[in-house]
Structure formats: C-alpha cells, structure tokens
C-alpha cells in the first residue's frame, strides 16, 4: 500500500503497469488492490492553478511583504500571447498540439499553461494588473463601419473581474475598453475593505472576441481571502472557520473548468471531423492527426461548424480542469476539503458530482467522450456522493445546501465542502443535464471529468454530522467570546452560516423600483437581442413593440438607467431557448423561479420537471445571492414561438441594491458567443438629484 501514497503514486502505477505487461501478471495485479485510475485519466495529478506572482516579489524582503498585508498595493503583470503547448486527448491516448491565445505571467506552469494564474487578494487592497497585449496586429479592431455584433477583433482584448464589487468605470472593471494588439493598460481595482471574501474569476470581455478568447482558455480564478471574525453586529469571512481539528486550513482546491474548443484544420481551413456512419453527414467528433496543431480562430469555419448550439458535444472534446484533461485528485478518507468550482467555459453545462468507482474495475486504455457514459454506467456504480455547497458565485450562503450535484452554467461558481467517507477511487462525473437545463439545448450524455484517489484516513458514515462537529468545535476555539456560542450553535443546527453572509436579505418593503428583461433570438436571420418588457405568455402579441421589442447590442445606447441607492426587483425571462443572465458590479438575491405552470421551483425540495425530465439546478436557490443565473425557456424550435410560450417559459424574480458605484457597465448572456453577437445591454447607475430624479444629466 506504499504505492498509494499521495506524491508520485501515478508514476508508481505507470511503472507497475509496465511490470504487469512484462510479467503477465496476476500476482502483481493483486498488489494494486483496485485497478489503477490512470488508464481512464490523463495521469496528470491535479494541482491548484499557479498563483500569479507579484511584480518584484522575488526581490521583496519578508518585512516588505508583511508590510503589504493585509492592505496595501499589489502589482501584477498579465501578458497575452500565443502559446504553443499540448492538451491530452483520451480518445487517442496522445497529446494534441495546440496554438492558443493565453494569459501568461510569473508562475504559470509551462506544462499546463491553458489556465490563467490565480490572482489572490485581500479586502482593502489596491490591485494593479498591467495587461500587455502581445498578440499580432488585427485591423478589424480599428476598422470603422463594420457590424458591431459580428464577431471581430479576435486579437483585441480587455479584462473583466467577474463578480468583484468594484467600480465599473475608468481603469477599474471597465469592459467597454478595447486593449488592441501592441497596447498595454494598467487596470486598478480598489477592493473595498468591506468586500466579501470568496471565489471570483477573471476573463477577457472584449465585445466581438469574448467567446473566442475564453474558449481558448483565457480565464483564471480571482480569490479574495479574508480573516475577519464575526462580531455581534457584523458578519465575518467563512474562511476563518474552514479549518481542521488542529486549526490548519482545510485542503483548499481551486478548479477552473473550461471547454477549450480547439480545431485542427485541413488545407481549405475546414475543421477536420469524423463522420459516423462514415459516409454520412453526421459529425461525431473534431479530430486531429498527429502532426496537426489545434487552434481556436473562427466562430464559424467554412464547413459550417463553429460555436453554435451542440458544438461542444459535436467536437467530442473534454472539459479541462486547470488546463488538464481528466486529472487525478488525491485525497484522504474523512478529511473535509473545500472545492472552489469555477465554470470558466462557454458551451457546456456541467452537472458536477462524485460516484464511488467499483473495486477492480477493468483497465481501459482509451476512453473517448462518446464512451464515457457507458464507462460510468459500468464502473462508477456508487450513488452520487452528497456534498455541501457553502457559497454561490463567491457569496457565502445562509446555510450549507446538501446536494448530489452542482449545476454549473457558464460563469457560475460554487464553493463546496466535500468529505470522501472511505478510501477508494471516486469518479468525478458530469451527470447528464436535460435539454432545457443545458447550454447544448439537448440532453447531455454523462462525461468523466477526473478521478479522486482517496487514501486511508478516518472513515466517516455521517458526513453531515462530522462537518457540524468539526466546524462548531473550531468556532468555539477561535471566535470571540461574544459570538462563539451563537455561531457554534448554528453550525450544529444544519450548518447555518448567518454570521458569515455578506449581504442581508432584501425584504419586499425595501424595493423601490422594477426592471424587466427578456432574452430573445429572432430567426431568420439569426438576431440576438434583449427586451425591456416582460412577457405575459397568455396575453401576448409579438408584433406589438410596446409588448415585445428585443434589441441587439448598441454600444451607443444606454438601455437602462438605474439610481444609486435604489433597490430594484427584476423580472427575468427568455422567449427562445435558455440563457445565463449575468450583470456586473452588484449581485442579486433570488426571490422566485416559477415554471410555466406557476410553481415556484426555487423552493428547497421542489421538483422542476416541466420539460418532462427532472432538472436539479433550481430547487434550493430561493434567497441565494448570485451574479449569474440560468433563465429557462423550453422552446427549442423557432416555429413554437410564441404559440408554446405558455407551456415553456419560466419567470424569475431577483432583487438587487445599487450600492456605492456609479457608471456605465453591461448585463449580458454568458453564452459568450451570444454576447458577442448582441445579447448584451449597457446599463448606467447614476446619482439621485435629491428631488426624485437623477443628477447625472445636470448642466
Ligand atoms: Cu444566450
């Protein structure tokens, strides 16, 4: 069992596999216990993404570094270049060469560069990120008169700090800038001292190239760490109680999940594909020959494939975790871990869970995406392992939510507490999602995301009880006397975190106004738009512009003017297929999610099955704060609009406060190729004038 130690276990297994071949081996196979996980995975061991090193960090003395924490200025450099490297392909059991735009910076792993480095900061810090665009020249960035909602300027970029509560203006989180090739720009984020600690992320957000760049892997974690203790009148950071019994920090894993949708091109610039049956037009995979180099260079290639719905499944590529395909995680039985799940991809819905792998499962050398569902059926036979979500989109929830899976739509984050109850291998699975719950608009097949090797530890049968005991004991030992009993009691009572939530509930009486939003795709021609008037599906005239007028993005139009200090209730809908809504700057609290029959499926224990298949993503979200949320509509066929609206459309209510920050920013669909093609609006928060109006237009 020495062979199952954490470090180097893979190398040992691979060596043993060689021995088994040489010796023909039954007796040696017994040494392994279970069959090795390596064969179904890349064999690459999971590590957290590298931490972006500060400029001059190597030269800085310990005393200087200490002086900078916890507040102070942090200087980072991020450079964007083309990077030549490789991505593991489980179907062919070889690495595909790729040539992709990527973030580089001090600390990036040269063997796994297709995840951006983690930026780790603390509340109250001033964060300077100098973005250096070293991509080749791109005349489409400066051409005038072209259609703004046609993808363009693929080498132009900018930087978005997704979820951070900072100014959207000037050189802060301003996504209305274009940092063109050859240009450097210094972003400065003044993270306020009262900013929540949590899991955020960053990515490029230049309208016209956002999907292409994010699909190349240009995304990274942005983690705000905090050590504020709760007091009787203020809430603290959940980080302070996430500790082991010896008060060391829990294992803290950061997973940036991405869909890097590279294509290998033939001499005509067409994506190389595999047809099944061979003489059909049914594409079942994008393929690469051994000397090919995969690229992400077009939204639509000449042979008609590109970023459209279902394209991720068609490509048969693999979700990467920190740039690795099917990595292996190493854990210990009974030891709680914090998993920060970040959906940094574009074209897939991830239903993230764990299933115990049956012992002595056969070794399978190549496992294509199309074979993963059968592999899971036959080998990952355990029930879904319950685990607990503790934060949504970086914001600590009022109570941990026990879930069998977490549905991650593009842009989502969930922080989870995971306890593997016993030793053995656990499959990390992406369970199937129903058509209406999935970016692909079709039921997805199960995929294998990785494998967890759980070594011997202290087995637990009641993981809820173990977590309640641990965290309440930690609270009693470390928290101030005036809050510790209350906090410990709430932790013992179902892991309630009321002393750690960053935002108080928004009561109905606090609401001062309303906003309405409808996403829509008009066909033909395909036109992406957003409307400002909610639909009553039972009394609806699509030809009446006072009822329905979705407009494509116009950079010169402010679609909504919002009042600083105001509190709006938003009604969110989609008229055709589902879209993840994301708004910058201020998060929102979910009030209700009603299905077409009027049932509120955000309630804990609700069953969302309006599409005929149970969709686990909404139940339990009532009251949760987020910055990105799936807006569901079951219409998949354009001919069904508007006749089937009444049986297809969900209506979602959320509330939000416009606090502290003014200026112009955006809301948009986080299927980023929809955003690039016009599913976005400009919104502006202005200062009240003291007389019921807004002061920003004064002269
Ligand atoms: Cu969309």
């Amino acid at each position: 069992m020495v062979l199952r130690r954490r470090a180097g276990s893979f190398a040992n297994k691979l060596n043993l596999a060689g021995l088994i071949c040489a010796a023909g081996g039954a007796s040696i196979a017994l040494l392994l216990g279970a069959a090795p996980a390596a064969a179904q995975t890349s064999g690459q061991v999971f590590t957290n993404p590298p931490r972006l090193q500060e400029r001059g960090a190597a030269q800085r003395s310990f005393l200087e570094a200490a002086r900078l924490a916890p507040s102070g200025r942090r200087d980072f450099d991020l450079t964007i270049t083309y990077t030549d490297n490789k991505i593991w392909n489980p179907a062919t059991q070889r690495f595909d060469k790729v040539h992709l735009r990527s973030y580089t910076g001090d600390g990036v792993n040269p063997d796994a560069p297709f995840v951006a480095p983690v930026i780790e900061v603390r509340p109250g810090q001033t964060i300077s990120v100098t973005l250096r665009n070293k991509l080749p020249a791109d005349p489409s960035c400066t051409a005038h008169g072209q259609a703004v909602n046609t993808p363009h300027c693929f080498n132009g970029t900018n930087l978005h700090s997704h979820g951070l509560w900072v100014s959207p203006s000037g050189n802060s989180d301003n996504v209305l800038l274009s940092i063109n090739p050859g240009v450097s720009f210094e972003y400065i984020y003044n993270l306020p001292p009262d900013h929540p600690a949590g899991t955020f992320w960053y990515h490029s957000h230049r309208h016209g190239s956002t999907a292409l760049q994010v699909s190349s892997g240009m995304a990274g974690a942005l983690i705000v760490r905090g050590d504020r203790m709760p007091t009787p009148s203020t809430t603290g950071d959940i980080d302070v109680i996430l500790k082991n019994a010896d008060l060391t920090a829990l294992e803290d894993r950061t997973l940036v999940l991405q869909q890097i949708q590279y294509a290998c091109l033939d001499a005509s610039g067409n994506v190389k594909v595999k047809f099944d049956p061979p003489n059909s037009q049914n594409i079942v995979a994008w393929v690469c020959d051994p000397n090919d180099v995969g690229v992400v260079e077009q939204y639509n290639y000449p042979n008609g494939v590109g970023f459209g719905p279902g394209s991720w499944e068609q490509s048969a590529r693999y979700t990467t975790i920190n740039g690795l395909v099917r990595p292996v995680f190493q854990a210990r039985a009974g030891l709680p871990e914090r998993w920060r799940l970040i959906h940094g991809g574009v074209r897939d819905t991830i239903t993230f869970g764990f299933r115990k792998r049956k012992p002595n499962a056969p070794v399978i050398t190549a496992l294509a995406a199309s074979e993963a569902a059968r592999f899971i059926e036959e080998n990952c036979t355990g029930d879904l392992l319950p685990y607990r979500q503790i934060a949504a989109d970086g914001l600590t929830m009022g109570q941990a939510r026990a879930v069998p899976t977490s549905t991650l739509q593009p842009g989502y984050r969930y922080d989870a507490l995971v306890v593997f109850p016993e030793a053995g291998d656990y499959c990390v699975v992406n369970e199937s999602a129903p058509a209406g719950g999935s970016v692909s608009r079709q039921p997805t097949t199960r995929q294998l995301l990785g494998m967890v090797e759980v070594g011997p530890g202290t087995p637990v049968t009641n993981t809820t009880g173990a977590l309640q005991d641990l965290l309440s004991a930690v609270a009693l030992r470390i928290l101030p006397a005036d809050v510790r009993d209350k906090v410990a009691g709430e932790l013992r009572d179902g892991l309630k975190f009321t002393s750690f939530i960053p935002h108080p509930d928004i009561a109905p009486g606090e609401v001062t106004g309303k906003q309405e939003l409808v996403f829509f795709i008009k066909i033909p021609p395909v036109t992406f738009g957003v409307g400002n008037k909610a639909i009553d599906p039972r009394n609806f005239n699509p030809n009446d512009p006072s009822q329905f007028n979705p407009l494509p993005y116009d950079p010169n139009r402010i679609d909504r003017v919002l009042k600083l200090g105001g509190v709006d209730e938003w009604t969110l809908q989609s008229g055709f297929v589902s879209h993840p809504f994301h708004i910058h700057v201020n998060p929102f609290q979910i009030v209700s999610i009603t299905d077409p029959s009027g049932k509120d499926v955000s309630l804990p224990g609700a069953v969302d099955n309006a599409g005929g298949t149970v969709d686990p993503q909404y139940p339990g979200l009532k009251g949760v704060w987020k910055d990105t949320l799936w807006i569901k509509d079951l219409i998949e066929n354009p001919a069904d609009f508007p006749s089937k609206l009444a049986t297809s459309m969900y209506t979602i209510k959320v509330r939000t406060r416009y606090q502290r920050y003014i200026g112009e920013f955006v809301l948009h669909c986080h299927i980023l190729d929809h955003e690039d093609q016009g599913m976005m609006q400009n919104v502006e928060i202005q200062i009240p004038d003291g007389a019921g109006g807004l002061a920003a237009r004064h002269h």
Side-chain angles (χ1 to χ4, degrees), residues 519 521 528 577-580 669-675 679:
F519 284 130
I521 307 175
F528 295 83
V577 302
S578 310
H579 306 271
C669 170
H670 222 288
I671 298 173
L672 293 174
D673 48 299
H674 290 183
E675 178 252 292
M679 197 170 269

Side-chain angles (χ1 to χ4, degrees), residues 177-215:
L177 307 174
S178 181
I179 312 303
N180 290 346
V183 176
S184 295
F185 185 74
E186 183 185 11
Y187 288 86
I188 296 184
Y189 307 109
N190 285 307
L191 208 61
D194 51 353
H195 195 286
T199 304
F200 306 93
W201 67 297
Y202 66 93
H203 60 88
S204 58
H205 203 311
R206 202 281 185 199
H207 183 66
S209 65
T210 308
L212 183 136
Q213 294 187 358
V214 174
S215 293

Side-chain angles (χ1 to χ4, degrees), residues 273-276 280-286 303 305 314-315:
V273 296
K274 178 181 170 189
F275 295 106
D276 187 25
S280 73
Q281 292 299 305
N282 185 42
I283 299 171
V284 294
W286 299 9
N303 54 337
V305 300
Q314 181 196 67
S315 77

Side-chain angles (χ1 to χ4, degrees), residues 302-640:
N303 54 337
V305 300
F307 276 129
S311 64
W312 177 250
E313 289 72 13
Q314 181 196 67
S315 77
R317 299 257 180 264
Y318 306 84
T319 288
T320 53
I321 301 177
N322 301 346
L324 304 178
V325 173
R326 294 191 189 147
V328 176
F329 300 80
Q330 292 167 330
R332 297 238 328 261
L335 205 59
E337 301 190 349
R338 178 184 195 164
W339 287 49
R340 301 175 188 260
L341 307 175
I342 301 171
H343 192 318
V346 174
R347 269 279 169 203
D348 194 21
T349 294
I350 296 173
T351 308
F352 191 96
F354 305 93
R355 288 180 182 274
K356 187 100 190 277
R357 183 170 183 256
K358 78 177 178 194
N360 302 310
V363 174
I364 295 169
T365 51
L367 187 64
S370 59
E371 298 159 337
R374 202 184 66 179
F375 174 86
I376 294 168
E377 182 73 33
E378 292 175 355
N379 300 294
C380 309
T381 50
D383 291 338
L384 283 163
L385 174 71
Y387 61 96
R388 279 139 207 93
Q389 295 172 350
I390 60 167
D393 292 352
L395 304 171
T396 301
M397 307 191 312
Q399 182 175 13
R401 182 180 165 215
V403 292
T405 56
S406 295
T407 301
L408 292 139
Q409 303 291 359
Y412 276 34
R413 287 89 69 211
Y414 279 113
D415 283 43
L417 291 180
V418 183
V419 185
F420 298 100
E422 58 187 11
D425 288 343
Y426 290 74
C427 305
V428 185
V429 291
N430 179 0
E431 293 285 298
S432 56
S438 162
V439 173
S440 70
R441 305 187 196 166
Q442 54 194 309
T444 58
T445 55
R446 291 203 281 180
Q447 291 296 333
L448 183 67
L449 295 172
M451 198 73 75
V452 189
E453 296 180 339
V454 179
T458 310
V460 291
T461 48
N462 177 359
T463 56
T464 301
L467 279 170
Q468 292 184 173
D469 290 349
L470 172 68
L471 298 187
S472 60
V474 169
L476 287 175
R477 286 175 63 191
I478 65 160
L479 294 185
D482 52 0
V483 294
R484 68 168 67 121
D485 291 333
K486 168 183 177 279
V487 172
E490 291 187 349
L491 289 168
R492 270 195 302 271
D493 181 21
L495 292 174
K496 294 196 176 84
F497 299 132
T498 57
S499 292
F500 301 95
I501 54 169
H503 303 291
D505 290 346
I506 301 179
E510 192 184 336
V511 174
T512 57
K514 67 172 186 178
Q515 293 288 324
E516 298 176 343
L517 177 145
V518 185
F519 284 130
F520 193 63
I521 307 175
K522 187 166 148 295
I523 300 173
V526 178
T527 311
F528 295 83
V530 187
N532 280 23
K533 184 109 178 87
I535 293 173
D536 175 358
R538 286 160 198 83
N539 179 24
F540 174 63
N541 176 2
N543 299 315
D544 175 357
S546 73
Q547 285 194 19
F548 189 60
N549 190 26
L551 297 173
Y553 179 65
D554 180 346
N556 299 311
R557 186 182 67 230
I558 304 285
D559 294 283
R560 299 168 196 270
V561 175
L562 311 169
K563 188 191 289 185
L564 185 70
V567 182
D568 278 344
E569 181 165 285
W570 289 62
T571 301
L572 306 170
Q573 297 171 326
S574 170
F576 176 66
V577 302
S578 310
H579 306 271
F581 166 84
H582 171 51
I583 187 163
H584 294 198
V585 187
N586 295 290
F588 49 80
Q589 185 177 29
I590 296 165
V591 174
S592 62
I593 302 175
T594 43
D595 78 355
S597 74
K599 178 172 71 176
D600 186 351
V601 294
S602 72
L603 286 161
V607 178
D608 176 17
N609 58 358
T613 310
V614 174
D615 183 345
Q617 70 177 304
Y618 284 146
L621 285 182
K622 184 181 281 293
V624 170
W625 287 80
K626 283 180 104 314
D627 60 44
T628 310
L629 183 61
W630 190 246
I631 311 300
K632 199 193 266 194
D633 185 333
L634 302 171
I635 290 182
E636 306 292 338
N637 181 345
D640 291 337

Side-chain angles (χ1 to χ4, degrees), residues 60-284:
R60 192 172 292 140
S61 71
F62 174 76
L63 281 177
E64 283 175 306
R67 184 172 52 76
L68 286 173
S71 64
R73 184 181 163 103
R74 310 282 304 277
D75 290 286
F76 297 100
D77 290 293
L78 268 182
T79 300
I80 300 170
T81 62
Y82 271 106
T83 298
D84 292 290
N85 213 280
K86 59 189 192 300
I87 294 176
W88 180 250
N89 188 333
T92 56
Q93 290 285 290
R94 65 169 187 254
F95 286 97
D96 287 333
K97 284 181 268 193
V98 290
H99 176 72
L100 299 169
R101 295 168 182 83
S102 69
Y103 291 111
T104 65
D106 282 349
V108 170
N109 178 358
D111 293 325
F114 299 120
V115 64
V118 182
I119 298 178
E120 276 193 26
V121 294
R122 301 172 67 87
Q125 290 185 330
T126 298
I127 304 146
S128 160
V129 182
T130 298
L131 187 71
R132 303 175 198 279
N133 184 347
K134 295 194 174 169
L135 293 171
D138 182 344
S140 75
C141 298
T142 46
H144 294 286
Q146 64 182 353
V148 67
N149 294 320
T150 300
H152 63 286
C153 191
F154 298 162
N155 289 345
T157 192
N158 62 22
L159 191 62
H160 172 45
S161 55
H162 184 128
L164 282 197
W165 189 49
V166 294
S167 166
S169 302
N171 61 349
S172 184
D173 186 25
N174 183 348
V175 300
L176 302 171
L177 307 174
S178 181
I179 312 303
N180 290 346
V183 176
S184 295
F185 185 74
E186 183 185 11
Y187 288 86
I188 296 184
Y189 307 109
N190 285 307
L191 208 61
D194 51 353
H195 195 286
T199 304
F200 306 93
W201 67 297
Y202 66 93
H203 60 88
S204 58
H205 203 311
R206 202 281 185 199
H207 183 66
S209 65
T210 308
L212 183 136
Q213 294 187 358
V214 174
S215 293
S216 303
M218 287 178 58
L222 206 170
I223 294 180
V224 181
R225 295 194 186 275
D227 56 9
R228 292 163 292 198
M229 297 284 180
T231 73
S233 58
T234 59
T235 58
D237 298 317
I238 191 87
D239 298 13
V240 301
I241 58 163
L242 298 183
K243 292 187 160 53
N244 295 302
D246 62 2
L247 299 186
T248 55
L250 294 189
E251 177 78 39
D252 190 338
R253 301 186 191 269
T254 299
L255 289 77
V256 181
L257 301 148
Q258 294 172 290
Q259 291 91 42
I260 301 179
Q261 200 165 334
Y262 58 92
C264 292
L265 307 179
D266 66 16
S268 309
N270 291 318
V271 179
K272 290 188 180 179
V273 296
K274 178 181 170 189
F275 295 106
D276 187 25
N279 294 322
S280 73
Q281 292 299 305
N282 185 42
I283 299 171
V284 294

